[in-house]
Amino acid sequence: QLQASGGGLVQAGGSLRLSCAASGRTFSEYSLGWFRQAPGKEREFVATIKWDDDTTWYGDSVKGRFTISRGNAKNTVYLQMNSLKPEDTAGYYCAVHDSGSVHHTGSYTDWGQGTQVTVSS
């Protein structure tokens, strides 16, 4: 089971680091992704990292501001969020990439509980 943490309230321009930890499994054979969902909007792709070679993908709205990385232990992935904007306000969710495009929610399984990020202007 995946558990996201690290969300909170931050002012625009600030930073947060989210963590996604897995219990009972490791990610050595998978890619892990982050998505976000604001009220009334569809779930949006944020970033994904391929565990075996650190290949990363980012959504256009976060490129250059967010960085996905993995911990040394094979059960944690991080999302460093810098230069936060009010439009980054959303619930952030991590999930395991199963197959298909990394940009699509349908390609992921094992969705964890989200963590709320609120950016004030």
Side-chain angles (χ1 to χ4, degrees):
Q1 183 175 359
L2 302 182
Q3 179 65 53
S5 62
L9 174 63
V10 63
Q11 288 187 334
S15 300
L16 282 174
R17 189 175 81 154
L18 305 184
S19 299
C20 176
S23 58
R25 69 185 301 177
T26 59
F27 297 136
S28 60
E29 299 178 356
Y30 300 92
S31 297
L32 258 291
W34 286 96
F35 283 74
R36 66 187 183 185
Q37 188 168 19
K41 295 187 177 181
E42 294 186 352
R43 194 160 290 191
E44 175 190 15
F45 172 71
V46 175
T48 288
I49 186 166
K50 192 177 179 185
W51 207 266
D52 58 357
D53 64 7
D54 288 341
T55 299
T56 56
W57 297 265
Y58 293 94
D60 288 342
S61 60
V62 306
K63 282 180 182 177
R65 301 187 298 122
F66 291 11
T67 302
I68 189 171
S69 63
R70 58 181 177 86
N72 290 329
K74 292 184 177 179
N75 65 346
T76 306
V77 64
Y78 302 102
L79 184 69
Q80 178 66 42
M81 305 187 297
N82 298 328
S83 302
L84 284 162
K85 305 174 181 180
E87 51 263 45
D88 294 319
T89 296
Y92 283 71
Y93 301 85
C94 55
V96 177
H97 179 255
D98 183 21
S99 63
S101 170
V102 297
H103 297 89
H104 297 159
T105 58
S107 301
Y108 291 78
T109 62
D110 297 339
W111 290 89
Q113 292 183 332
T115 186
Q116 178 67 32
V117 171
T118 303
V119 184
S120 63
S121 57

